[in-house]
Amino acid sequence: MAEPAPRAWQRMLSGRRLDLLDPSPLDVEIEDIAHGLSRVARWNGQTQGDWPFSVAQHCLLVEEIAGQLKPGLPTGWRLAALLHDAPEYVVGDLISPFKAAVGLDYKALETRLFSAILLRFSLPAELPQQLTRLIKRGDQAAAFLEATQLAGFSDAEARRYFKRPRGLLLDADRFPLRPLPPAEAKSSFLERFNQLFDQMN
């Protein structure tokens, strides 16, 4: 008798079953995303404070930075920036060195999940390259801030690994970071999502 195929779906608190190998936009719920991201720690939890700095907070930071890097950024593109790490509600936040070790299969899985999430919220399955580059700049800027404020990096180390994007002042006064309890991070993420999604529709 053949062995059953290994389970490739994740049950969500909403009751949805999200197939990681063939994700459907119909199985994506924003409550599940916000809940998961608020409990996933950036930097593998190696940050200062009583709480981990969550991916939900990171996503809020990247969306804010993207808007400052490009004033007048359309609402839909700001929503895409907010959701840029949404697949991590299922797969977790793998640090960059581990992603490099895992290789392209992981990236393909993450890309399929991201496309399903974008489609679920009325965004194109593949983002324009110009927007992808902007989000990457915002992501690097957020990493710089997190590294220096929370993860113990010196300014020189952070400059070497994450760079300082031109056209943006990165300092603790302008972007003060305070890790939040998961419930607060989830609430903040959902509030911002609803603001942007309502403006789109």
Side-chain angles (χ1 to χ4, degrees):
M1 183 174 174
E3 288 287 322
R7 178 172 66 88
W9 53 265
Q10 165 78 49
R11 181 186 292 279
M12 302 298 167
L13 288 180
S14 64
R16 297 285 189 187
R17 287 186 181 186
L18 183 68
D19 186 333
L20 273 67
L21 299 180
D22 186 22
S24 167
L26 298 176
D27 291 325
V28 173
E29 298 290 347
I30 193 60
E31 280 277 346
D32 293 332
I33 292 173
H35 186 79
L37 295 185
S38 71
R39 292 165 180 247
V40 175
R42 291 274 291 167
W43 308 92
N44 277 347
Q46 298 299 308
T47 49
Q48 299 169 8
D50 294 334
W51 303 97
F53 190 77
S54 70
V55 175
Q57 286 189 265
H58 168 77
C59 288
L60 286 161
L61 180 60
V62 171
E63 186 259 325
E64 180 184 358
I65 291 171
Q68 294 201 22
L69 285 170
K70 188 155 183 73
L73 187 65
T75 302
W77 292 161
R78 291 193 73 137
L79 182 62
L82 181 70
L83 295 170
H84 80 282
D85 275 342
E88 294 179 8
Y89 88 106
V90 183
V91 298
D93 182 25
L94 300 185
I95 59 173
S96 295
F98 189 72
K99 286 182 183 179
V102 170
L104 293 176
D105 286 348
Y106 173 81
K107 189 63 180 174
L109 176 89
E110 197 175 44
T111 298
R112 283 196 298 272
L113 281 168
F114 190 43
S115 292
I117 291 164
L118 291 172
L119 288 171
R120 172 65 178 85
F121 301 118
S122 306
L123 295 166
E126 188 173 344
L127 298 177
Q129 280 299 310
Q130 188 174 6
L131 176 61
T132 300
R133 287 193 293 270
L134 175 67
I135 292 172
K136 182 66 176 174
R137 287 181 67 203
D139 201 28
Q140 285 184 318
F144 181 95
L145 289 164
E146 294 163 19
T148 52
Q149 291 188 45
L150 301 172
F153 282 65
S154 69
D155 193 81
E157 280 182 308
R159 284 175 185 273
R160 183 162 65 250
Y161 293 115
F162 310 111
K163 304 177 184 173
R164 263 185 178 269
R166 294 184 303 276
L168 187 68
L169 293 174
L170 295 180
D171 57 59
D173 291 333
R174 188 173 179 129
F175 295 100
L177 302 185
R178 181 177 64 88
L180 297 175
E184 287 185 41
K186 176 182 176 179
S187 177
S188 296
F189 183 90
L190 281 173
E191 181 180 3
R192 185 57 179 153
F193 171 87
N194 288 326
Q195 287 173 349
L196 293 169
F197 193 64
D198 289 349
Q199 288 172 26
M200 281 177 54
N201 299 297

